[in-house]
Amino acid sequence: MSHTAHIRSRILIPLSLTFLVLLCGFLYSAFAIRGSGITHELEREHGETISIFKEMLASRIRLMTASAEVILNDPATQRAMRSRNRSALYAAALPYLRKLSANDVSHFYFHTPDAKSFLRVHQPDRYGDLISRDSMQRALKTGTATDALEMGPFGTLTLRLVIPWEDQSGRIGFLELGTEVNEILDDLSIINNIDYLVVLNKTLLDKKAMATGYAWVGRRIDWDKYPEKVIIAQSIPSIPPALDHLLSEETKKFSRNKAWNSAALDNRHYAFKTFPFHESSGREIGNFVLLYDITNQTRSFHHFIVYSLCFSCGISIFLFMFAWKILGRVEQTIEETQQQLSQEVVKTSEANALLESEVAERQKAEEALVHLNAHLEERIAERTVHLETATRELEQGRHELEKAYAELTSRQAIILHQDKMASIGLLAAGVAHDINNPIGFVTNNLEELRIYLTRLQAFIEEQQAIIQASAPPEELKKLHEDWNQLGIEYILDDFGALIAESLEGAGRVSDIVKNLRNFSRVDDFAFKLADINECLESSIKITQHELRHKAQVHRQFGEIPKIFCCPQQLNQAFMNLLVNAAHAIDKHGEVTLKSWSDSDGVHISIADTGCGIPDELLPKIFEPFFTTKEAGKGTGLGLSIVADIIKLHQGEINVQSRPGQGTTFTITLPVKSEVGDA
């Protein structure tokens, strides 16, 4: 039994350690995958939040612009500003201040042409100071309306709009409107259903000035809570302890914190991450802290880990007991084998005696072997010929196997990609169908609204004609003043423009839906007559999300005949080349698509100004699973599938590349009325 225990320990201990290592690796991978998922979700939430925030700022700018146009066109304000009559200007602007305050516009200024404050309508006692804010300086320099998100001397974040004020005599000054961003941030939490903190760096602020500024807008701040930060906006009633501790650290440590952290508050678990917060001028003034509720995810993940550990331990105990029993039987078999070997040793001794008698006979056989050696060279020559023939046959078989393996690998890559694109196509078709119905309602309603507006404008014109003919002069004057003060003519003109812009936006959404539908038919491999220029244009639209921020797309399409092909597969090939072109461009570059035809067929070239491909890698780029991208960022199937699709169409694909200058792929397709089925 001691031998048995020794064998069992030598096998089971390494086996148990191996299982433990695998279990640890599983746990590490599970936590790593969960962390990566949460990081991706935080980045996505931040991108959506910033987009909504910018759209809300743009909406508020449009509102302030409409209000500013009414003020600028008021004859009373024009006369007062032109004559530099501050009291008259204040009296004319005071009614507008009340209306603007109802729309959360808290800042109302009139400035002289040299950027000095002439009148603060919301604070009429302060005037005469030089305005050096970025928004004012840009309006002064460019002579056009400018807007900016800026932090004022009181520490408040204000969205400002500065509009140059000009009449027939030239520029008479500037009009500036501003609204506090805190109200927009409160609406942001409700619209996007997220939690956040906005903190500012104390190095850019003054304690007394900030207390005065926030008291003026009806808000309180706790300046002394953190050493280098101050919270100006938050969507949760209290700060989680972990985030509170992080805020208490130095600003450099807080800003360098690139990874997400977790925090608990009132039985809720949050993942939070800090992002820099900038003014419109680009100056970093603090941080935006995004909090993502992961309570349910954490609970599900813990349950998964517990169940996995219980299942793994149960399986390991069962295997351990099974191996213990099997190794016992093996040990018993070894002991029996040792006994049999002892018996064989005895038999071998007896056989040695017989061997000595056979030695003499072997000596005679050696003499016969010497005789045979004389004819050995002839036999070796014959065998050599047979071996060379067999070697050639084996070499031919090896080449055939390599060719079959290459074809199998290519087919496997195509099948994998087709399955993947079929799944994506189903998803794109579903999204296109869900979007198409409501956008149809919106388009039809906007068309009806434009018809109603036309009728309403005709009625108003007719009504004005009747009033002009029958109303007394005093009432006509009163109606004319109300007409100008309320900006009815501007509203009617702008109404039509708004409907036209909405119809244009709905048309763009319809185009996107159409492209999604075309893209969803990626599993349609039927050959038919198709326009290659249309295929290129469709591929550009599908990859627009990859190209719009990376490259300027140039189209140089020639007049080419339609060819018999599979347009869905060619769309996939063009799309793969365009995506690779976008990935090859580091910051911003150009992508040029050309098409032309000659006697050899139809030619397409796709060129980029990216990083290029080294010469030693060019022969390998069309091999399946070969990629120059980082691990996890590419499958190595894109160019392989492009080459197979072009080969299926009996065409050719060539590549020219210079490292650091760019890459050009040139495709030649034959002009045929039919193509054999692949």
Side-chain angles (χ1 to χ4, degrees):
M1 294 298 295
S2 61
H3 294 290
T4 304
H6 181 66
I7 293 176
R8 286 173 174 171
S9 63
R10 294 181 63 181
I11 295 178
L12 292 180
I13 289 176
L15 185 63
S16 301
L17 292 175
T18 301
F19 171 77
L20 183 61
V21 171
L22 293 175
L23 183 61
C24 293
F26 164 75
L27 293 176
Y28 176 80
S29 300
F31 279 95
I33 292 172
R34 175 174 177 265
S36 176
I38 292 176
T39 299
H40 175 73
E41 191 67 22
L42 284 171
E43 294 290 347
R44 184 187 65 80
E45 286 288 348
H46 178 255
E48 291 182 357
T49 301
I50 294 302
S51 297
I52 295 174
F53 181 60
K54 290 182 178 179
E55 181 59 29
M56 294 175 70
L57 293 180
S59 176
R60 191 61 62 90
I61 287 296
R62 289 193 293 269
L63 176 62
M64 292 193 295
T65 301
S67 301
E69 291 294 335
V70 175
I71 298 172
L72 294 176
N73 293 325
D74 188 347
T77 58
Q78 289 180 354
R79 287 193 301 270
M81 187 65 186
R82 192 181 301 111
S83 62
R84 295 295 186 266
N85 190 336
R86 187 174 288 105
S87 59
L89 182 61
Y90 178 73
L94 191 57
Y96 293 114
L97 177 62
R98 298 190 184 99
K99 296 179 181 180
L100 291 172
S101 299
N103 292 318
D104 296 328
V105 177
S106 56
H107 297 260
F108 188 5
Y109 303 82
F110 290 97
H111 304 304
T112 61
D114 56 353
K116 289 184 179 180
S117 173
F118 181 71
L119 174 63
R120 286 180 171 87
V121 184
H122 57 287
Q123 291 179 330
D125 296 334
R126 293 183 56 205
Y127 57 86
D129 52 317
L130 180 64
I131 306 301
S132 59
R133 289 187 292 268
D134 180 68
S135 56
M136 183 67 217
Q137 295 303 315
R138 286 194 287 122
L140 185 64
K141 182 178 180 180
T142 62
T144 59
T146 60
D147 58 86
L149 176 63
E150 298 174 331
M151 183 178 70
F154 295 101
T156 57
L157 289 177
T158 307
L159 178 63
R160 299 182 183 272
L161 171 66
V162 181
I163 302 179
W165 194 359
E166 299 181 355
D167 62 2
Q168 295 82 357
S169 61
R171 182 174 299 174
I172 62 176
F174 294 89
L175 172 64
E176 178 178 346
L177 299 179
T179 180
E180 300 299 331
V181 178
N182 296 75
E183 302 294 337
I184 301 176
L185 290 173
D186 293 340
D187 295 338
L188 177 65
S189 175
I190 298 173
I191 293 174
N192 203 29
N193 193 23
I194 57 100
D195 290 312
Y196 67 87
L197 297 178
V198 177
V199 296
L200 300 181
N201 297 329
K202 285 187 177 180
T203 55
L204 305 176
L205 304 170
D206 179 78
K207 180 178 180 179
K208 293 182 179 179
M210 190 171 187
T212 302
Y214 276 84
W216 182 62
V217 297
R219 292 178 177 267
R220 296 180 60 188
I221 60 169
D222 190 351
W223 176 275
D224 299 321
K225 187 173 183 179
Y226 303 110
E228 299 182 5
K229 298 284 185 180
V230 58
I231 298 176
I232 65 165
Q234 63 186 78
S235 62
I236 53 178
S238 58
I239 308 299
L243 178 55
D244 186 76
H245 175 72
L246 186 60
L247 287 169
S248 300
E249 295 182 350
E250 297 180 1
T251 300
K252 293 183 178 179
K253 294 182 180 179
F254 184 77
S255 301
R256 287 199 303 264
N257 190 8
K258 301 298 184 181
W260 62 273
N261 295 278
S262 60
L265 179 65
D266 297 333
N267 297 324
R268 306 298 296 177
H269 293 274
Y270 294 92
F272 66 89
K273 187 175 181 180
T274 61
F275 300 90
F277 194 80
H278 299 89
E279 289 182 315
S280 297
S281 62
R283 182 180 65 157
E284 182 176 343
I285 60 175
N287 297 93
F288 182 84
V289 183
L290 180 66
L291 292 96
Y292 179 59
D293 192 341
I294 59 171
T295 303
N296 294 332
Q297 294 183 10
T298 303
R299 186 180 299 112
S300 300
F301 180 73
H302 288 168
H303 289 170
F304 168 74
I305 293 297
V306 171
Y307 294 153
S308 299
L309 288 176
C310 292
F311 178 77
S312 301
C313 291
I315 292 296
S316 63
I317 291 173
F318 172 76
L319 293 176
F320 187 88
M321 296 176 63
F322 179 75
W324 183 275
K325 186 175 181 180
I326 293 299
L327 289 174
R329 293 180 181 178
V330 170
E331 176 62 24
Q332 184 178 358
T333 302
I334 291 174
E335 292 179 354
E336 294 175 355
T337 303
Q338 287 178 347
Q339 294 178 358
Q340 293 176 359
L341 286 174
S342 299
Q343 296 175 0
E344 291 295 332
V345 170
V346 175
K347 293 180 180 179
T348 302
S349 300
E350 296 175 355
N352 287 336
L354 296 175
L355 186 60
E356 292 178 355
S357 61
E358 292 178 357
V359 170
E361 295 179 359
R362 290 192 177 185
Q363 289 178 350
K364 295 180 180 179
E366 288 177 357
E367 294 176 357
L369 183 61
V370 172
H371 178 71
L372 291 174
N373 284 339
H375 306 283
L376 183 60
E377 293 182 358
E378 296 179 359
R379 294 183 179 181
I380 289 175
E382 294 177 358
R383 292 296 177 90
T384 301
V385 173
H386 289 301
L387 286 174
E388 290 177 351
T389 303
T391 301
R392 286 193 297 270
E393 293 176 353
L394 287 174
E395 186 68 20
Q396 182 178 359
R398 185 178 67 83
H399 286 301
E400 293 177 353
L401 285 175
E402 290 179 351
K403 181 178 179 181
Y405 175 74
E407 293 179 356
L408 179 61
T409 302
S410 176
R411 292 293 180 183
Q412 181 185 12
I414 293 176
I415 291 172
L416 288 174
H417 191 74
Q418 288 175 352
D419 289 342
K420 174 183 175 184
M421 295 311 298
S423 300
I424 296 176
L426 290 175
L427 177 60
V431 172
H433 178 73
D434 290 341
I435 295 176
N436 194 46
N437 290 335
I439 203 63
F441 300 152
V442 173
T443 303
N444 292 335
N445 291 340
L446 288 173
E447 290 289 352
E448 290 295 327
L449 186 59
R450 181 160 61 182
I451 294 172
Y452 294 162
L453 177 62
T454 303
R455 295 176 181 176
L456 182 60
Q457 287 176 332
F459 175 76
I460 291 174
E461 291 176 357
E462 182 178 355
Q463 186 182 52
Q464 281 186 327
I466 294 173
I467 292 172
Q468 290 286 344
S470 60
E474 294 80 6
E475 294 183 1
L476 284 176
K477 181 179 181 181
K478 179 66 168 57
L479 288 174
H480 182 70
E481 291 177 354
D482 292 342
W483 177 279
N484 292 332
Q485 182 177 3
L486 296 176
I488 301 300
E489 184 174 355
Y490 171 76
I491 291 174
L492 292 175
D493 294 340
D494 194 46
F495 205 166
L498 291 176
I499 293 176
E501 291 177 0
S502 301
L503 285 171
E504 181 182 358
R508 292 180 181 177
V509 175
S510 298
D511 292 339
I512 294 173
V513 170
K514 180 179 178 182
N515 291 328
L516 283 174
R517 285 182 169 177
N518 293 334
F519 180 71
S520 64
R521 295 194 291 268
V522 293
D523 55 347
D524 181 10
F525 299 115
F527 280 79
K528 56 188 176 183
L529 282 175
D531 189 344
I532 296 300
N533 289 341
E534 293 181 357
C535 294
L536 289 171
E537 189 64 36
S538 177
S539 300
I540 293 173
K541 292 179 179 179
I542 291 297
T543 57
Q544 190 64 28
H545 67 287
E546 292 280 357
L547 295 171
R548 69 161 62 99
H549 301 301
K550 298 294 290 292
Q552 178 71 31
V553 178
H554 300 286
R555 300 169 176 83
Q556 299 179 10
F557 298 158
E559 294 184 1
I560 57 176
K562 293 185 177 181
I563 65 172
F564 201 74
C565 63
C566 178
Q568 302 302 332
Q569 288 188 345
L570 289 180
N571 284 348
Q572 183 60 51
F574 299 150
M575 187 178 73
N576 288 356
L577 293 176
L578 289 172
V579 170
N580 281 355
H583 290 174
I585 296 173
D586 184 17
K587 294 181 178 178
H588 195 275
E590 297 181 354
V591 176
T592 303
L593 294 87
K594 298 181 181 179
S595 64
W596 70 94
S597 63
D598 55 22
S599 58
D600 295 332
V602 173
H603 306 277
I604 306 98
S605 74
I606 299 177
D608 62 71
T609 58
C611 59
I613 305 173
D615 294 339
E616 62 272 12
L617 298 181
L618 284 176
K620 302 179 181 179
I621 61 174
F622 295 112
E623 296 180 2
F625 306 108
F626 176 80
T627 179
T628 59
K629 299 177 181 177
E630 300 177 3
K633 292 188 177 180
T635 61
L637 297 177
L639 291 179
S640 173
I641 290 173
V642 171
D644 290 335
I645 291 174
I646 301 306
K647 182 179 179 182
L648 177 66
H649 287 75
Q650 302 178 7
E652 296 180 355
I653 180 169
N654 298 307
V655 58
Q656 295 179 346
S657 181
R658 291 183 179 180
Q661 298 184 12
T663 303
T664 300
F665 287 90
T666 304
I667 299 172
T668 301
L669 298 174
V671 180
K672 293 185 178 181
S673 59
E674 293 184 358
V675 177
D677 187 25

